[in-house]
Amino acid sequence: MDNKVILTSERIEISDVLNRLSKSEECGAVVMFIGTVRGLDEGKKIHELNIEIDVDVALETLQKLRQDTIEEYGIQDLVVVHRYGTLMVGDTIVVIVVASAHRKESFDACEYFIDELKRIVPVWKLEKRENGMHWVGSEWLK
């Protein structure tokens, strides 16, 4: 269970993600973010979401982002699992778990990590909406 950055087309098991987290005796906080497929976006009903990832670039980017986040926020560990493929409303897209001595560092690191993931990791989402299809991409595309 050494892998801390995972890209998968399979359903994400929350307990598996938690079991990958390393904690020491000083750990006083574990924060988890779970991103799911929403059913509405911009007032339009979403039927499904197709997620495409440039796996090689995404893994490298996520691993560096993970290490940078650990160093910047002084946290003990961070695990991220991101799903790709066809997902339905309510399915889990991403899980991020952070462990640290204090809650503030965990919350701050988790928020920073998801914001940066959305900004720099090559992930593209095709929303199949009631009024057609809509691409959503990371800022990496711009």
Side-chain angles (χ1 to χ4, degrees):
M1 295 225 189
D2 291 338
N3 202 347
K4 308 287 184 162
V5 175
I6 300 165
L7 300 175
T8 183
S9 61
E10 302 298 319
R11 183 176 179 269
I12 299 173
E13 296 294 336
I14 304 301
S15 60
D16 179 56
V17 181
L18 278 170
N19 288 335
R20 292 175 184 277
L21 192 67
S22 301
K23 301 180 290 184
S24 71
E25 290 182 352
E26 293 85 26
C27 180
V30 174
V31 168
M32 178 183 292
F33 171 79
I34 302 171
T36 61
V37 178
R38 70 181 122 218
L40 283 175
D41 190 25
E42 299 175 358
K44 304 298 181 194
K45 184 168 178 52
I46 298 172
H47 299 289
E48 71 180 43
L49 183 67
N50 291 345
I51 299 176
E52 295 182 18
I53 297 177
D54 182 328
V55 174
D56 293 335
V57 175
L59 278 173
E60 183 179 323
T61 305
L62 285 168
Q63 288 164 346
K64 181 174 183 338
L65 177 57
R66 177 183 174 272
Q67 193 57 46
D68 291 348
T69 304
I70 289 170
E71 292 171 11
E72 176 73 23
Y73 289 89
I75 59 176
Q76 293 178 11
D77 199 11
L78 185 150
V79 178
V80 58
V81 180
H82 200 298
R83 192 164 168 200
Y84 59 88
T86 301
L87 286 77
M88 305 309 290
V89 172
D91 285 349
T92 300
I93 301 169
V94 63
V95 176
I96 301 165
V97 185
V98 178
S100 68
H102 304 284
R103 69 181 178 270
K104 181 163 179 31
E105 291 85 2
S106 284
F107 278 113
D108 290 349
C110 192
E111 182 177 32
Y112 171 78
F113 191 88
I114 189 62
D115 287 348
E116 287 299 291
L117 183 156
K118 291 178 77 67
R119 189 177 74 81
I120 66 172
V121 179
V123 174
W124 304 275
K125 301 173 191 173
L126 178 61
E127 294 176 341
K128 293 189 178 176
R129 300 178 176 183
E130 63 186 352
N131 64 335
M133 294 188 246
H134 176 71
W135 279 103
V136 179
S138 67
E139 291 181 24
W140 182 83
L141 296 169
K142 299 173 185 170

